[in-house]
Amino acid sequence: MTPVQTRTKRVRHPHDDAPDTAADFRRIVSLPEGPEKEELRQQVVTAWMPMAERLAQRFRNRGEALEDLQQVASLGLVKAVTRYDPDRGSAFESFAVPTIVGEIKRHFRDHMWGLHVPRRVQELRNRVRISRRELSMSTAGRSPSVAEIAEHARMSEEDVLVGMEALESYSTLSLDAELPGADDGYSLADTLGRSEPGFDHIVYRESVKPRLERLPDRERRILYLRFFCDMTQTKIADRLGISQMHVSRLISRTCDRLQQEVDADLERESDSDHDHDHDHDREPERERERELVAV
């Protein structure tokens, strides 16, 4: 028995889900790319699938469905079968296990975080989480301090604080969730600001005010009686000695004119802002033109 064969046999996996596919891998290496080689790869993947499913089960109950984890593990297995080189002398399982586990961990890192967190911060989070769990067994029921975690994990206290903050960033919290310590249903949504419609009324009123002052006395009085004194058109008509239909036409015509004037002013302001931005963008070009003229 050669040294390579002895080493291979010594590190073989003791579980039933580690089939003997050494001959298949040697044949895969010898075959050219084509249907026959791909079919043999598929057979090897099928043979090792129970191991991939076992590895996926290690990560269950972490917020991801077991079926999805098994699919990720299967993808890692396919990559391992494709990349494995039997001539390196190591058993397939010693290459496949870290490949599959790495694929599953990468899935958690890239797809399971509710917020985007840099990889370094994710690693700090994992170190803090493991240290807290280990220290909790010897801290008499209390949570370990930042200094204790830093000493145990050989991290700076600043990195510990970053990792602790990231512990709360893995999954998002619903805006309807009740705040800690609240016993009256007070939620995150209750802490958010809301738009104040009164502000819009102030803007509209100030925009219309100078135009109301420029209206003829009769039109201004009619609008005042209708919208500020809440009088009906019939009562206004009786007070002014005109028909109710005439009051209606005056109100409609005056409001339309005010609306048109306000819209025209807004459009002019928008065009003015656009021209200002355009002039600002052209300033470097104009500067070059002035330089050329000076030359």
Side-chain angles (χ1 to χ4, degrees):
M1 182 175 293
T2 65
V4 173
Q5 290 174 328
T6 303
R7 180 185 175 190
T8 302
K9 188 166 185 175
R10 185 171 61 250
V11 297
R12 284 200 60 78
H13 203 287
H15 292 86
D16 295 335
D17 56 16
D20 185 5
T21 55
D24 294 326
F25 277 114
R26 287 193 294 271
R27 187 182 173 199
I28 289 174
V29 173
S30 64
L31 289 173
E33 292 295 335
E36 185 178 1
K37 187 172 187 176
E38 184 60 31
E39 182 179 357
L40 187 55
R41 281 175 176 164
Q42 292 299 325
Q43 293 175 5
V44 173
V45 168
T46 302
W48 284 95
M49 193 63 71
M51 182 196 70
E53 294 176 349
R54 172 172 58 82
L55 294 175
Q57 290 178 358
R58 295 183 184 178
F59 297 86
R60 65 183 182 275
N61 300 327
R62 297 191 184 183
E64 182 69 303
L66 179 59
E67 293 79 4
D68 294 336
L69 293 177
Q70 290 174 342
Q71 289 184 2
V72 176
S74 300
L75 176 61
L77 175 60
V78 171
K79 291 181 178 180
V81 171
T82 303
R83 300 170 182 172
Y84 176 62
D85 184 1
D87 294 335
R88 292 180 178 269
S90 61
F92 173 69
E93 55 265 38
S94 64
F95 174 77
V97 169
T99 303
I100 295 172
V101 171
E103 194 71 24
I104 295 175
K105 289 183 177 180
R106 187 158 43 249
H107 173 76
F108 276 96
R109 186 185 71 228
D110 297 338
H111 301 285
M112 295 299 295
W113 285 75
L115 298 174
H116 174 71
V117 177
R119 184 172 182 177
R120 174 182 174 275
V121 177
Q122 295 182 25
E123 293 173 351
L124 293 177
R125 169 191 177 273
N126 291 334
R127 292 174 63 183
V128 168
R129 178 174 55 83
I130 294 173
S131 297
R132 287 179 63 176
R133 184 174 64 242
E134 294 175 350
L135 288 171
S136 62
M137 301 177 183
S138 58
T139 53
R142 65 176 179 83
S143 299
S145 66
V146 173
E148 290 172 337
I149 295 175
E151 181 180 1
H152 183 270
R154 296 181 180 179
M155 302 165 57
S156 67
E157 294 189 8
E158 290 78 7
D159 285 345
V160 171
L161 292 174
V162 172
M164 293 177 68
E165 186 175 0
L167 286 172
E168 308 298 331
S169 301
Y170 188 75
S171 58
T172 56
L173 188 63
S174 171
L175 291 177
D176 295 327
E178 186 174 335
L179 290 175
D183 55 1
D184 56 354
Y186 194 71
S187 66
L188 286 174
D190 296 324
T191 67
L192 300 178
R194 293 178 174 83
S195 59
E196 174 54 60
F199 294 155
D200 293 334
H201 292 321
I202 294 174
V203 174
Y204 299 150
R205 186 174 60 191
E206 293 302 315
S207 299
V208 173
K209 183 185 295 184
R211 294 170 178 82
L212 290 174
E213 294 174 351
R214 292 194 296 267
L215 288 175
D217 292 340
R218 185 174 63 173
E219 281 83 345
R220 185 168 64 250
R221 186 179 182 189
I222 289 175
L223 294 182
Y224 175 78
L225 295 175
R226 179 68 186 92
F227 296 106
F228 290 86
C229 298
D230 200 25
M231 292 181 60
T232 64
Q233 294 182 8
T234 301
K235 291 183 178 180
I236 296 173
D238 293 341
R239 174 172 292 193
L240 298 181
I242 57 179
S243 67
Q244 181 270 332
M245 185 62 66
H246 194 186
V247 171
S248 177
R249 286 198 297 266
L250 288 174
I251 292 176
S252 178
R253 185 178 62 190
T254 304
C255 290
D256 289 342
R257 186 169 71 252
L258 292 174
Q259 181 67 53
Q260 292 173 4
E261 292 177 358
V262 171
D263 290 343
D265 286 347
L266 292 176
E267 185 175 353
R268 281 193 296 270
E269 291 178 3
S270 177
D271 292 342
S272 176
D273 293 340
H274 175 75
D275 292 341
H276 176 74
D277 293 340
H278 180 68
D279 290 341
H280 183 270
D281 294 338
R282 290 201 60 216
E283 187 58 33
E285 180 180 349
R286 291 174 176 172
E287 183 65 26
R288 288 193 297 270
E289 292 176 353
R290 286 194 291 268
E291 292 176 356
L292 291 174
V293 171
V295 173

